[in-house]
Amino acid sequence: MSRLVLIDGVSTPSERAQVSVYDRGFLYGDSVFETIRTYGGRLFALAEHIDRLARSASSVGIQLPVSTEQLAEETLRAVREAGNAESYARVMITRGSGPVDLDTASAEQPLRVVMVQPLTTPPVEYYRDGILVRCIETVRASDAAGSAKLGNYLASALALRLARDAGAAEALVVNRDGLVVEGPTSNVFLVKQGTIVTPPLEIGVLPGITRAIVIELAGELGLAVDFAAYPAERVVESDEIFLTSSIREVIPVVQVDDTVIGDGKPGRITGLLHRAFRQRVGLDGELPHDD
Ligand SMILES: Cc1ncc(COP(=O)(O)O)c(C=O)c1O
């Protein structure tokens, strides 16, 4: 099991991997990134992640230092060199270093970093029993940048901290209009009378790669999909709720704040979609707690 870092394409043992304190990623969170995982040792949806990274960079005016093809190739190389059974890969582009100055023009050359480590996934109880979440109102840096995946996750980290302090496993982000938009690092789905509902991208949610696959799978299963966002009082009226992300796949939510969702157990449709997702990624449709 090993961790490995590529800095500007150069492979570095993780304990010696260093970047400048003048890097704007460090100074201002002036960076974009992706997190990707492997299935059977192969990076899943790599092209989609690299495309989204390029869109995030473009939306904040960071020039990609190399082509998307080269970024993909370097990520593959890092995973190969790390040699883990399953890996987590984080690909970051910062605007680069320069004098300490807010002006983005002060940066000289964007920096690219690929970090790979053994994959860790949530405890199986999360999938078997579902999780409790807390609604936290906050405003994120990405809300000002068209839902780009920016390096600055401070508001989301604080939302998660508040949720955890209140005994929840996860937060649900409530925007300034009082609508539940997504998790700190996940998209949110509701099931209402057999229809799958998820907030529309225009409201300011990350276009999740897992979200897109789940929407497609719902269609294949003959389930209606609707795009809408609700305040917490309406969210808790759902029959089922689940979160999606590349690392965590599909996580059932069984309680929001003080309200138990449905019968307090992971929902049937949530399970169906998760099984379909596991089939799609080559895991024979088995759920993490099936063994
Ligand atoms: C804010 C946010 N929303 C949603 C997601 C889920 O996206 P994906 O399914 O592409 O991992 C993430 C993933 O990190 C995220 O940070």
Side-chain angles (χ1 to χ4, degrees):
M1 297 288 238
S2 70
R3 297 194 295 168
L4 186 132
V5 181
L6 292 192
I7 301 178
D8 282 343
V10 178
S11 171
T12 319
S14 60
E15 60 283 3
R16 289 214 306 277
Q18 290 171 348
V19 298
S20 168
V21 293
Y22 292 98
D23 188 281
R24 294 178 62 91
F26 174 71
L27 290 172
Y28 305 117
D30 191 353
S31 63
V32 294
F33 75 105
E34 281 297 316
T35 51
I36 319 173
R37 63 158 287 177
T38 62
Y39 285 101
R42 297 165 66 96
L43 285 158
F44 181 69
L46 175 62
E48 288 86 342
H49 281 282
I50 297 290
D51 275 0
R52 189 171 65 188
L53 184 70
R55 288 201 305 278
S56 294
S58 156
S59 79
V60 292
I62 294 179
Q63 201 88 36
L64 286 189
V66 294
S67 66
T68 50
E69 290 77 17
Q70 186 170 338
L71 272 177
E73 190 278 319
E74 288 182 359
T75 312
L76 285 164
R77 175 153 60 89
V79 166
R80 206 168 42 241
E81 282 183 30
N84 300 313
E86 297 293 6
S87 282
Y88 161 103
R90 181 182 169 104
V91 186
M92 296 180 67
I93 310 282
T94 80
R95 201 182 298 274
S97 301
V100 180
D101 182 343
L102 197 58
D103 186 352
T104 56
S106 66
E108 283 142 22
Q109 165 73 19
L111 177 87
R112 64 190 194 279
V113 175
V114 181
M115 300 164 67
V116 174
Q117 59 191 47
L119 177 76
T120 52
T121 50
V124 289
E125 298 81 58
Y126 278 30
Y127 299 98
R128 192 190 61 211
D129 306 332
I131 62 166
L132 192 161
V133 302
R134 283 234 157 230
C135 293
I136 309 285
E137 195 174 325
T138 191
V139 178
R140 302 157 307 163
S142 59
D143 295 329
S147 307
K149 199 160 162 61
L150 307 182
N152 184 338
Y153 262 59
L154 181 59
S156 299
L158 295 177
L160 180 60
R161 183 166 79 171
L162 283 176
R164 293 259 164 98
D165 284 350
E170 186 55 285
L172 279 184
V173 174
V174 177
N175 72 7
R176 66 173 95 201
D177 296 323
L179 301 173
V180 171
V181 287
E182 59 186 331
T185 57
S186 57
N187 291 108
V188 65
F189 285 78
L190 317 176
V191 181
K192 283 178 174 280
Q193 279 130 32
T195 296
I196 313 295
V197 187
T198 194
L201 296 181
E202 308 80 62
I203 205 166
V205 302
L206 190 79
I209 287 157
T210 319
R211 173 185 183 275
I213 295 172
V214 164
I215 290 170
E216 198 183 305
L217 293 170
E220 286 172 16
L221 290 168
L223 300 163
V225 181
D226 199 7
F227 298 94
Y230 298 106
E233 315 83 82
R234 295 283 310 282
V235 165
V236 299
E237 293 167 355
S238 305
D239 305 316
E240 302 179 27
I241 301 178
F242 61 90
L243 304 174
T244 62
S245 86
S246 296
I247 307 301
R248 292 170 295 171
E249 303 175 346
V250 172
I251 301 240
V253 172
V254 293
Q255 186 176 333
V256 177
D257 298 331
D258 298 323
T259 310
V260 170
I261 305 305
D263 60 3
K265 298 204 185 82
R268 188 183 66 84
I269 291 177
T270 303
L272 273 180
L273 287 166
H274 195 184
R275 277 183 202 283
F277 183 85
R278 302 275 283 188
Q279 192 81 46
R280 172 71 65 98
V281 299
L283 291 174
D284 293 336
E286 296 214 341
L287 296 185
H289 50 282
D290 274 348
D291 310 335

